[in-house]
Amino acid sequence: AQQIRLAVSIIGIMKMNISISNWTKSGSPWVWLNAGAVAISVIMVASLIGLIGVRGLAHFWPADVIQAKYSEKQNSRTIVGEVVQKEQVNASQLIDAGIEVAPGVESLERKLLKNGNRDSEGIDFTWVLSKNLSDIKTPAMLFTAERYEWGNLYGFLRSLKQEQKVLAQYAGYEKNDEYMALWSLLNKSMLRAQDIKAQIHDIEKNQIGKINHALERLRLKERRMALDLNSDADETAEIELRRVQLAKEYKVLEDKLVNLYGKINRDSIEVEISNGSVITVPIANLVRIFRANDMSIWDKSLHYLAKVWEFVSEDPREANTEGGIFPAIFGTVMMVILMSIMVTPFGVVAAVYLSEYAKQGFLTRLIRIAVNNLAGVPSIVYGVFGLGFFVYFLGGSIDQLFYPEALPSPTFGTGGLLWASITLALLTVPVVIVATEEGLSRIPSALKEGSLALGATKFETLYKVVLPMTSPAMMTGVILAIARAAGEVAPLMLVGVVKLAPTLPLNMNYPYLHLDQKIMHLGFHIYDAGSQSPNVEAARPLVYATAFLLIIVIALLNLSAVAIRNKLREKYKALEV
């Protein structure tokens, strides 16, 4: 019986080995292995994007503001602020820092508090030990004010003044009708100040900017006449007449600005801050004011949406640690669009020549090897080449030939949108060439020969048969080019991207699209806010938010290209290209 059982076991093992061997030979294990690797990669990418999104977008939620007593080394003081971060610190680190720790305690919790009021208290972020906090409260009257300068202000509203005359005041700490009347007057004053500030912004940035642009064009025209030794009296008189008209328009706008600045500085508030002192703050310096502790979930949600919209639609402020990043979004998208317009025809023409016209020999193989190697060249090398060739040589030559009246101030002889786009096009053209060549190699020879047999020329065959069928492959190359170019930073720092660009390269001033103008870029904004900001703690959440937005922008650009490719692929689906 034992021998029979042993034989049955051996037979079972042999069958199992045969089954495993057949399963392995079928390729199923490798399918499952690849599927598992793809699933792990997707989970890791989704987790990373989720982490970036949560850490970035959570910054815009109006957090509760605490008021507490903080005792340290026989000293006690009142602190006010938002809890930004919590972490556990080893007792040994605290002892090394000179902080007393009870025996047997291995770690203590500390909190990063955003206490604002940087103009009055020196710093707006501080670490505090949780064990030293006591009497923690979230008063409903404690408000948060976002300012154009000096960061957030936290305190209790005490009075509203109009030209040093007190309109309303309140000295208590409990919300009542008297306080709400004061708060209502403050909101009306805030709306008035914001309306005046919008008028000032329109005059300074749009109307006066347009006049200054026209004056500069007149100056350049006059200098060009002098360089050409053109002394036409009529044209000179016309320039002078136009200059006088612009000067009159400027004077009218200047008077309006003086009047508006006088009005906007009329109102101010008195605020009691955490150290008990009362400070005066002009309402014109405030972006918004709210009581986070007294807001409902609905109010906080509306506030959150308003902050997110401000982030994507406004200009930055406070050294890129506050405000929005719209100029960086616009600059990134504009540069990628121009890059795509430039790289597509050059990449396609090069691929068509190498595949269809060039003699397939040693030289052609050498060119293909060079193209493939170009895809692996570090991007900073392209930046140095762009700076030396495009900016200094080509741009300097353009200035000498077409803009001598502007010299010694460079027009195209300095970094700008055009040179940044061309540098990125040069960086990504190998990708488009390789993808297009792959598509051309998949065209059945019978189609080409059939077209030629029907009397079409080689160019007609290429234009009407080959290129339409290769268009999905071309779009694949453009998609890969966009994915790489949109996230590049190193070369752009040399050829036209700056920390802060005062105006957009697309506006209502002739020639409307200013290719010589410097731009902002999301990637460079992340670098600048993350490593060059004077206030690291304030910039950190914006780094996450900007990185998340850059991912979204790249995804939208790629999805647009993918949609075009899918339409082309569906159109030529019957030909299996």
Side-chain angles (χ1 to χ4, degrees), residues 221-382:
K221 185 177 181 181
E222 194 173 44
R223 179 170 166 77
R224 185 62 179 259
M225 291 173 60
L227 291 175
D228 295 341
L229 302 179
N230 181 2
S231 58
D232 188 337
D234 292 338
E235 194 168 358
T236 302
E238 184 181 348
I239 292 175
E240 191 60 33
L241 178 62
R242 179 59 179 156
R243 184 179 283 119
V244 171
Q245 292 174 345
L246 291 173
K248 291 180 179 178
E249 294 177 13
Y250 185 89
K251 185 65 172 63
V252 172
L253 294 176
E254 188 180 31
D255 293 340
K256 285 184 179 180
L257 278 179
V258 172
N259 184 37
L260 289 173
Y261 273 114
K263 290 181 178 179
I264 198 172
N265 294 319
R266 186 193 69 178
D267 299 343
S268 61
I269 56 174
E270 289 186 333
V271 180
E272 180 185 337
I273 58 177
S274 58
N275 60 14
S277 61
V278 177
I279 62 174
T280 301
V281 181
I283 289 181
N285 294 348
L286 304 181
V287 180
R288 62 170 58 85
I289 185 169
F290 57 94
R291 303 190 311 274
N293 299 339
D294 197 33
M295 296 171 71
S296 64
I297 295 296
W298 175 251
D299 293 333
K300 287 188 175 184
S301 299
L302 294 177
H303 178 93
Y304 178 80
L305 293 176
K307 285 285 291 180
V308 172
W309 175 247
E310 178 192 62
F311 180 66
V312 300
S313 63
E314 298 291 336
D315 294 344
R317 60 177 189 271
E318 285 280 349
N320 289 342
T321 62
E322 297 287 346
I325 56 170
F326 177 74
I329 299 173
F330 188 90
T332 303
V333 174
M334 178 65 69
M335 185 182 60
V336 170
I337 291 174
L338 289 176
M339 180 274 301
S340 302
I341 293 173
M342 295 174 186
V343 75
T344 304
F346 282 105
V348 170
V349 168
V352 168
Y353 176 78
L354 290 174
S355 179
E356 300 294 329
Y357 289 96
K359 184 178 179 181
Q360 302 303 314
F362 173 76
L363 183 60
T364 304
R365 291 196 300 271
L366 188 63
I367 292 174
R368 284 199 176 94
I369 293 172
V371 168
N372 291 329
N373 288 336
L374 280 175
V377 174
S379 59
I380 189 63
V381 176
Y382 288 97

Side-chain angles (χ1 to χ4, degrees), residues 329-503:
I329 299 173
F330 188 90
T332 303
V333 174
M334 178 65 69
M335 185 182 60
V336 170
I337 291 174
L338 289 176
M339 180 274 301
S340 302
I341 293 173
M342 295 174 186
V343 75
T344 304
F346 282 105
V348 170
V349 168
V352 168
Y353 176 78
L354 290 174
S355 179
E356 300 294 329
Y357 289 96
K359 184 178 179 181
Q360 302 303 314
F362 173 76
L363 183 60
T364 304
R365 291 196 300 271
L366 188 63
I367 292 174
R368 284 199 176 94
I369 293 172
V371 168
N372 291 329
N373 288 336
L374 280 175
V377 174
S379 59
I380 189 63
V381 176
Y382 288 97
V384 173
F385 175 80
L387 179 65
F389 181 73
F390 294 134
V391 177
Y392 291 154
F393 176 72
L394 198 57
S397 300
I398 291 174
D399 285 352
Q400 292 287 345
L401 291 174
F402 301 103
Y403 301 97
E405 66 275 11
L407 294 175
S409 297
T411 303
F412 284 94
T414 184
L417 174 61
L418 177 64
W419 305 133
S421 302
I422 293 178
T423 301
L424 285 185
L426 186 65
L427 185 148
T428 55
V429 72
V431 178
V432 179
I433 293 175
V434 172
T436 305
E437 274 206 277
E438 286 292 327
L440 290 170
S441 65
R442 294 169 57 189
I443 303 297
S445 301
L447 285 174
K448 301 178 186 178
E449 294 169 357
S451 176
L452 294 172
L454 291 172
T457 63
K458 187 171 184 178
F459 178 77
E460 289 174 334
T461 301
L462 180 67
Y463 181 72
K464 296 184 178 181
V465 178
V466 177
L467 287 182
M469 294 169 60
T470 317
S471 53
M474 297 177 195
M475 291 306 303
T476 299
V478 173
I479 291 168
L480 296 174
I482 290 173
R484 182 178 181 187
E488 286 291 346
V489 177
L492 302 179
M493 295 168 62
L494 302 175
V495 291
V497 170
V498 292
K499 175 188 178 75
L500 183 63
T503 57

Side-chain angles (χ1 to χ4, degrees), residues 199 201-212 253 256:
Q199 296 179 49
H201 180 269
D202 178 65
I203 292 175
E204 290 181 338
K205 191 170 183 179
N206 298 326
Q207 300 180 44
I208 290 182
K210 189 174 181 179
I211 291 175
N212 288 334
L253 294 176
K256 285 184 179 180

